[in-house]
Each structure stands twice: as C-alpha cells, then as structure tokens.
Amino acid sequence: MTLAPYAPAAPLAPSDLAGSPAHLPAGAVSPGMTSDVAPTQADSFPLALLLEDKLVVLVGGGAVAARRAAAFAGAGARLRIVAPTLHPSIAELLGPQDEWVQREFILGDLTDAWLAHTATGDPAVDAEVAREAEWRHIFCINAGNRDAGTAAVPARATAHTPTGRVQVAVDSGDPRRSVAVARHMQDELESGRAPLHPRRRR
Ligand SMILES: C[C@@]1(CC(=O)O)c2cc3[nH]c(cc4nc(cc5[nH]c(cc(n2)[C@H]1CCC(=O)O)[C@@](C)(CC(=O)O)[C@@H]5CCC(=O)O)C(CC(=O)O)=C4CCC(=O)O)c(CCC(=O)O)c3CC(=O)O
Ligand SMILES: NC(=O)C1=CN([C@@H]2O[C@H](COP(=O)(O)OP(=O)(O)OC[C@H]3O[C@@H](n4cnc5c(N)ncnc54)[C@H](O)[C@@H]3O)[C@@H](O)[C@H]2O)C=CC1
C-alpha cells in the first residue's frame, strides 16, 4: 500500500476539461464535454467487466466505497482510493499494487483509470469526479446519484460451482428492488433447479 500522497501524472486545471485529454492523440476523442453530465433515463446495458490488473479509482473511503472496493478487488482490479479518511475494511484490503491518496479529490486523480467510482456524500464533489471521467471517456459510478454518473453496480446473485462462478446481475434503477430480485435469484441458484453444469467443450 502506498500511503504517500499521489502526485497526479497530469494535474488538471478546471479549464483543461474544455479540451481533449492530453495523453490521447488529437482527433481520437470528440472535442470537449458538456458542463453537465446528462441524465441516463434510457435503459442501461448490462456488461461483465474483466477488471484483472485494471486501475479502478474510488473517490471517498466510507462504508459504501468499502463494499465496492471489496467487490472490485475480488475481480482482480488495482485500486486507488482518494479520500481524507479510510474505512478500516478498505485499509485491510489494500495490497502493494494499491494506493491510498490521503486527501480530498482534485482534478487529475483519474489519471490511468479504467473505471471511476465516487461515494463522497457530497454531490458537488461527486459531480466533479463524474465530469473528469466524462472528459476522459471512462465510465463513472456515482453512488450518491445514479443519474449523475454513467454506470451503476447491479445487485448480484452468485453460484460457486466446481467449474467456476455463475453470476446473475440485477439492475432496475431502484436499489432495494434490485436487491429483492437478486435475493430471489440467489434462492433459485441454490434450489438445485438451475442448470449450472458446464456446457462448453474446451
Ligand atoms: C445507483 C446505485 C449506485 C451505484 O451503482 O453505486 C445505487 C444508489 C443508491 N443506493 C441507495 C441505497 C441503498 N443501496 C443499497 C444496496 C445496494 N445498492 C446497490 C446499487 C446501487 N445503489 C446502484 C443502482 C443499482 C440499481 O438501480 O439497480 C447494490 C444493488 C449493489 C452494490 O452496492 O454493490 C447494493 C446491494 C448489495 C446487496 O446485494 O446486498 C441499500 C441496502 C444496503 O446498503 O444494505 C440501500 C439502502 C441504504 C439505507 O437504507 O440507508 C441510495 C440512497 C437512496 C435510497 O435509499 O433509495 C442510492 C442513491 C440513488 O438511488 O440515487
Ligand atoms: N450505492 C449504494 O448502495 C448506497 C449509496 N449511498 C450513497 O453513497 C454515498 C457515500 O456514503 P457513505 O460511504 O455511507 O458515506 P461516508 O460519509 O461514510 O463516507 C464518505 C467518504 O468520502 C470521503 N470524502 C468526503 N469528501 C471528500 C472529497 N472532497 N474528496 C475525497 N473524499 C471525500 C470521506 O473522507 C469518507 O471517506 C452517499 O452519497 C450515500 O447517499 C448510500 C447508501 C447506499
């Protein structure tokens, strides 16, 4: 775990977000971004991310970030946590590849990230994180406000089998409803009725 404050490789001033990311060739991205993150009223698209060794930056180190950090680490991601304070369970989770940047978020902290997650409890800070992510064309989960981000963490049901995990993800836009449906799917996976045996010949 790196405790020293992270010095962003490419610190950003707010005005920088008007242009294209400096680390990408000109023309590789659409110019600029809007000042507001567009609400995502349209249906979401479920996707299974293969996060092995990919850097996920989590802004905020509280209870919600702790749950997510464990899930991302479980999927093999590298973690950078940007937060003045850290939930004890996150501290336990961090390995040599991971970083804790012990201060408030500044623009540039998403450098090298494949995915951003913000859970600070401060809508203005969460919006800044979402804005940098949008500028970088990476997805941002906003735990405080789904519609001010570009991705959401589904509720999950998991079957552990001798030939690997089988996962069901539930997304509805209503976290408690998603949790209820995922619990139902978990019961179903554990009922013995689900066709969990492998089918693909390798
Ligand atoms: C948008 C999203 C953001 C994101 O992706 O980060 C989001 C947002 C919000 N959650 C809120 C509340 C709670 N969320 C949970 C639990 C879970 N929330 C999860 C996902 C998501 N939550 C994403 C949408 C997924 C979708 O829409 O389907 C789960 C499924 C997955 C996970 O966290 O890994 C996980 C299940 C873990 C499990 O399986 O057990 C609980 C229960 C608990 O914490 O125990 C409470 C009550 C807490 C309490 O009562 O205080 C509120 C406050 C408003 C409100 O109370 O309604 C917001 C803000 C808002 O709605 O905008
Ligand atoms: N997605 C979900 O399942 C749920 C989401 N929420 C939402 O998630 C958010 C966070 O909730 P908790 O973890 O319980 O909050 P918390 O208050 O426990 O943690 C907040 C964390 O953010 C850090 N922080 C505050 N300002 C910061 C800044 N400027 N830069 C970087 N870090 C900063 C704090 O040091 C702390 O580590 C809230 O918006 C809450 O409404 C709440 C319940 C469930």
Side-chain angles (χ1 to χ4, degrees):
M1 173 169 57
T2 307
L3 288 173
Y6 164 74
L12 296 173
S15 59
D16 289 338
L17 295 196
S20 299
H23 63 284
L24 293 177
V29 294
S30 58
M33 56 166 289
T34 55
S35 55
D36 296 318
V37 176
T40 51
Q41 297 300 335
D43 285 344
S44 64
F45 181 81
L47 193 65
L49 297 181
L50 307 182
L51 289 173
E52 189 78 43
D53 288 331
K54 300 288 188 282
L55 179 66
V56 178
V57 176
L58 293 97
V59 182
V64 170
R67 189 168 71 210
R68 303 300 174 73
F72 293 137
R78 287 193 296 122
L79 305 178
R80 177 186 300 149
I81 318 285
V82 181
T85 63
L86 203 59
H87 192 279
S89 75
I90 305 186
E92 277 174 28
L93 195 72
L94 297 182
Q97 305 303 311
D98 304 315
E99 307 165 67
W100 174 26
V101 182
Q102 189 176 6
R103 56 158 171 71
E104 296 193 338
F105 172 79
I106 59 171
L107 291 174
D109 283 342
L110 302 188
T111 299
D112 296 332
W114 286 70
L115 181 67
H117 180 278
T118 185
T120 67
D122 181 337
V125 175
D126 289 342
E128 274 299 276
V129 178
R131 205 161 75 92
E132 182 177 339
E134 181 108 341
W135 177 78
R136 290 187 185 278
H137 291 198
I138 61 172
F139 286 96
C140 180
I141 298 153
N142 185 336
N145 181 354
R146 174 188 174 105
D147 294 337
T150 48
V153 181
R156 279 98 64 206
T158 307
H160 297 273
T161 82
T163 46
R165 288 196 299 175
V166 178
Q167 300 187 82
V168 178
V170 181
D171 179 62
S172 69
D174 172 347
R176 290 195 185 93
R177 173 155 72 161
S178 298
V179 171
V181 174
R183 296 239 162 93
H184 178 83
M185 298 312 299
Q186 187 69 46
D187 290 344
E188 198 59 28
L189 290 175
E190 290 169 5
S191 70
R193 288 190 299 268
L196 289 171
H197 55 282
R199 283 146 192 275
R200 180 190 251 181
R201 275 188 288 274
R202 293 223 181 241

